[in-house]
């Protein structure tokens, strides 16, 4: 895949996920979630560049909710600057995720947009499938 991306000269996003989609939420464990996710992303970034993908075409995603507990997700958000320090844009996808529902007591994903907006900060790009609603909520 890296060769195809390099050859096409397109952007790519490298994302962390612990385990596989069907089992990733079964007791995810880390000694230090931020250090481990950062090391993974740094390793994948180095691999992608070695395969010919231009570094300025690479974004990094810590994989909020992908093999992580609520506590892991909050720690990643709290220490996001450590991921930004890698030097590539960081993309976070918190949009309507279940951890926001657990924190806010909002079981309906449609009611989690304010929580999504609250997680956006600094040099981070948020990805959201609900751009019109997010824009309405973020305007004064």
């Amino acid at each position: 895949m890296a060769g195809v991306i390099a050859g096409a000269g397109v952007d790519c996003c490298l994302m962390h996920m612990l385990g596989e989609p069907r089992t990733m939420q079964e007791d995810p464990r880390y000694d230090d979630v931020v250090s481990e996710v950062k090391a993974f992303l740094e390793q994948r970034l180095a691999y992608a560049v070695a395969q010919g993908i231009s570094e300025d075409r690479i974004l990094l995603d810590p994989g909020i909710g992908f093999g992580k507990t609520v506590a892991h997700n909050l720690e990643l958000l709290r220490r996001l600057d450590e991921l930004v320090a890698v030097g590539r844009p960081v993309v976070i996808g918190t949009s309507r995720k279940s951890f926001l529902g657990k924190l806010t007591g909002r079981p309906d994903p449609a009611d989690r947009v304010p929580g999504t907006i609250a997680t956006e900060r600094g040099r981070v790009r948020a990805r959201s499938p609900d751009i019109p609603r997010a824009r309405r909520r973020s305007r004064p």
Side-chain angles (χ1 to χ4, degrees), residues 30-42 62 68 71-83:
Y30 300 89
D31 289 327
D32 179 341
V33 67
V34 178
S35 295
E36 291 176 46
V37 168
K38 181 180 178 185
F40 171 87
L41 292 172
E42 287 173 330
K68 294 162 188 85
H72 294 144
N73 292 325
L74 292 175
E75 187 69 5
L76 282 163
L77 292 171
R78 187 178 74 76
R79 295 171 53 195
L80 212 48
D81 291 345
E82 293 176 48
L83 300 177

Side-chain angles (χ1 to χ4, degrees), residues 98-107 111-112 114-115:
S98 63
F99 88 99
L100 293 173
K102 291 173 185 171
L103 290 170
T104 62
R106 297 175 185 236
D111 293 333
R112 299 178 191 158

Side-chain angles (χ1 to χ4, degrees), residues 53-132:
I53 299 173
S54 177
E55 189 169 336
D56 66 340
R57 307 294 295 207
I58 301 171
L59 298 96
L60 305 176
D61 184 341
I64 299 291
F66 287 82
K68 294 162 188 85
T69 65
V70 172
H72 294 144
N73 292 325
L74 292 175
E75 187 69 5
L76 282 163
L77 292 171
R78 187 178 74 76
R79 295 171 53 195
L80 212 48
D81 291 345
E82 293 176 48
L83 300 177
V84 170
V86 172
R88 299 303 318 130
V90 175
V91 177
I92 58 168
T94 58
S95 184
R96 300 187 242 162
K97 295 263 174 96
S98 63
F99 88 99
L100 293 173
K102 291 173 185 171
L103 290 170
T104 62
R106 297 175 185 236
D108 184 351
D111 293 333
R112 299 178 191 158
V113 174
T116 299
I117 293 168
T119 62
E120 300 171 4
R121 67 183 178 96
R123 292 181 45 207
V124 175
R125 298 179 187 186
R127 58 179 169 81
S128 173
D130 195 356
I131 300 300

